[in-house]
Amino acid sequence: MSDAQRQQLARGVVPRVTDHLDHCLGSASQEWSAGRAETHDSTEWANQLQGFQYVLRRQFEEALERDFVASNYPPHYEFSGSSYAGANSGLQILDDYQSTRRSLRHKLEGLIREHNRYSWFVFLQAAREENRFEHPGWAPWSPLNWYERLIEAAEKQFGRTDLTLALMRAYVRCLGKTAAPTLAFVIETVEACGLVREPVSEVPDGDLSQPSVRASWAAANRDSDTDSPSESGSEGGPAPALNEAPVGPGAPAQMPAVDADPDAWRQWAAASGWLYSAGQTVTGSEPLTGGGGARGGALPGNDGASAVEAPPLESVIEGVLGGVFSEVSRQLNCHSEFRALMLELQPLLARAASRDLEFFHDRRHPLREWVGSLINTGIRITPELDTGGSESVAGYLGVMRQTVERLRQEADQMDRAAAQDLNEAWETSLATQEQQWHALAAEQAEPMCQQERAARARRSLTVCVLETGAELPERSAEEIAEAWEDLLAVEESAAKRLDAGVQDVARAICNKATPQEVNPLVQRIVATARENGVDEGRIKAVVQHLGQAHLQRIRSSADEPRFDPQARIQARRAVRLEDDDADLLTDLDDTWVFDASRIRTGDWFEVVDKASGHVHRVALVWRGEATRGFLFLSLDLGASRRHSLQGVAQELREGRMRPLPDDNPLDALLG
């Protein structure tokens, strides 16, 4: 880190963290004054803490400032009884005080990892990049370091006593309960000062590299007594999230072998709970619901007056599939046109599946994969949508009808090879349709892309200024930013190479390099741009911007306005997009922020508009790393949501946004 980066970090982080310490000390003092402490001496402890609170704050603040500005940090000191300094990395023999001190530090680490996971991974990434710190806890922005600095100050005033340990317990509790806004502020400053060059959501290891927790067809609504908007059609109230409780039939029964007789399959359907009512004729014209529904009726018995003739295999299979399709509709309301398509599909699929019962055993069966993909595509259509004016939705429904019609023609001759051909043809048609949809979505995303390029250019410039410690004239800064923004608009692989070239030029200009030193760097940018097919007009504009920036840097006067990195950092921190909740608090870090950070483009959600109560199914089609912007669009491209990272977290937190399941419903429900 450069001296300018260290100073900027200290200027932004230390006051905020110290103010939070004041809050924690005040809370501990109040608890002790009220007699809520581990000892009968709590009133005396409160008096001592109040008497030394200012001293503790000052010593803590001075220690943090030294940590941020010192180039030889970390110093040689002990971390809670474990000596990491020098060549000695072994654990020492600990007395009771040291053991408690270390266990409290471990507890703090666990609290931060559990409740403030996004901050934890930003801190971890910032410490690891450029090998800044052998142990991430050494980083001055780490809560573990704050813990060490506070206990050092407390030991100076109170010694290694029960009072000191009680104070640290109170501080750990306070951090666990109230530190989220402070942590969110700190990670913004750490990122804005250029200490995390790669997006935290793309780190190669750790929890952030894992896919986000997805909804599953095997999960029920968390509150089974309350209908979600998708189920009831209501326009008010949040859509409940999906939990991990299975909603399919009771204890799963052993699925019959492929060569088992129809009665074995009938008994399995009964034991599994995929039932159809006694004596009901299965026509396939509607899902089996209600008292005679696929999961609620009684299967015919084998004795007594209730017994009826056992149904043929195809009817059993159709009843099972009817139960699965009913469960799909129960969990997520489907658009009427897609529901009608599922009704057509049910008897056709029963005819094909009864010819090849590996359909039920093999999760990789092409016909099974086709059904799952078809359903997961269909549920993306907003249930109340009028499809008449949407070419996009009409296109999706068209390819669905074509593939179902093909099954209608081939169901009685369907074998595995034919099923594979059907699935591949469907995937090809679907990919073509999605390519067209994404092209239209990209047009709507372009304004946000422009904002992202501008934000990335100005953030990169801020980092260059901080790394060099230069006082760059505002006019030069704007010219460099314009050039940077132009080059970021080219194809992504070329943009990465050009970005590195502009960084070199920007640093050279900051360092007052001569024209003879800067010109080769600019020519390197020109050559790279031409190699990657950048048009000559854009190249010429970039060269002019960089030339003007260099000229203004050389000729700048002492009283000319200077580029202010702190203003840029503050502007980045104040991100709030148009569809964010009006009540949104932008300084938060909890599990919802972590979940929002792991959303990937292509993920689908059901969202409820807070103002109108309208329900929409939307996909994340674009997200910005510098702006932290998210753009969600519906399949008809008529509904859009523009949120910040904190805004998405708020929608998840309030239950107005929940992911749509993307696993195969047959796998999830049948096992």
Side-chain angles (χ1 to χ4, degrees), residues 468-490:
T468 59
E471 287 192 355
L472 193 66
E474 182 68 35
R475 290 190 301 163
S476 292
E478 285 302 316
E479 293 287 355
I480 294 173
E482 289 288 339
W484 222 320
E485 187 176 344
D486 278 347
L487 288 178
L488 289 174
V490 303

Side-chain angles (χ1 to χ4, degrees), residues 313-531:
L313 177 61
E314 186 175 314
S315 293
V316 174
I317 299 303
E318 186 173 351
V320 171
L321 295 173
V324 172
F325 288 3
S326 293
E327 181 61 25
V328 168
S329 294
R330 191 193 72 81
Q331 289 199 34
L332 283 170
N333 189 21
C334 299
H335 190 274
S336 58
E337 293 189 46
F338 177 64
R339 189 184 302 116
L341 201 63
M342 284 201 297
L343 294 179
E344 294 180 33
L345 173 63
Q346 184 177 321
L348 303 176
L349 186 59
R351 284 159 52 192
S354 59
R355 289 176 52 82
D356 182 5
L357 293 175
E358 280 293 341
F359 174 87
F360 288 94
H361 286 270
D362 184 2
R363 292 190 173 205
R364 301 301 300 273
H365 194 289
L367 194 61
R368 184 160 166 159
E369 291 181 337
W370 170 75
V371 174
S373 177
L374 187 68
I375 291 175
N376 287 337
T377 302
I379 63 170
R380 296 171 181 176
I381 306 174
T382 298
E384 305 304 321
L385 178 69
D386 180 3
T387 61
S390 173
E391 293 184 8
S392 178
V393 174
Y396 276 96
L397 287 169
V399 296
M400 291 182 206
R401 292 191 186 99
Q402 289 173 10
T403 192
V404 171
E405 185 59 32
R406 178 170 174 177
L407 179 64
R408 186 190 310 278
Q409 297 170 4
E410 301 178 8
D412 293 328
Q413 295 81 37
M414 181 68 65
D415 57 15
R416 193 178 184 101
Q420 181 67 37
D421 191 50
L422 172 69
N423 189 36
E424 290 177 355
W426 156 253
E427 289 179 347
T428 299
S429 299
L430 180 62
T432 300
Q433 194 63 37
E434 291 194 332
Q435 185 177 15
Q436 296 172 1
W437 184 78
H438 281 290
L440 295 173
E443 295 178 6
Q444 294 201 30
E446 182 54 32
M448 296 187 75
C449 291
Q450 292 177 356
Q451 296 172 9
E452 172 72 10
R453 291 192 291 268
R456 285 179 58 190
R458 282 153 182 79
R459 186 186 65 177
S460 298
L461 178 61
T462 299
V463 173
C464 284
V465 172
L466 289 175
E467 287 178 341
T468 59
E471 287 192 355
L472 193 66
E474 182 68 35
R475 290 190 301 163
S476 292
E478 285 302 316
E479 293 287 355
I480 294 173
E482 289 288 339
W484 222 320
E485 187 176 344
D486 278 347
L487 288 178
L488 289 174
V490 303
E491 195 270 333
E492 184 176 357
S493 61
K496 289 183 178 180
R497 296 177 60 191
L498 293 169
D499 181 69
V502 179
Q503 286 186 41
D504 292 339
V505 173
R507 290 191 184 94
I509 293 174
C510 288
N511 290 324
K512 295 185 177 180
T514 65
Q516 291 76 16
E517 293 170 317
V518 173
N519 286 340
L521 301 177
V522 174
Q523 290 306 312
R524 192 181 306 160
I525 291 174
V526 171
T528 302
R530 285 174 175 163
E531 287 174 10

Side-chain angles (χ1 to χ4, degrees), residues 44 113 140 280 381 520 538 660:
E44 176 59 27
R113 289 181 69 108
Q280 179 174 352
I381 306 174
R538 188 184 298 274
L660 294 181

Side-chain angles (χ1 to χ4, degrees), residues 298-311:
L299 200 70
N302 292 321
D303 57 356
S306 63
V308 296
E309 183 180 355

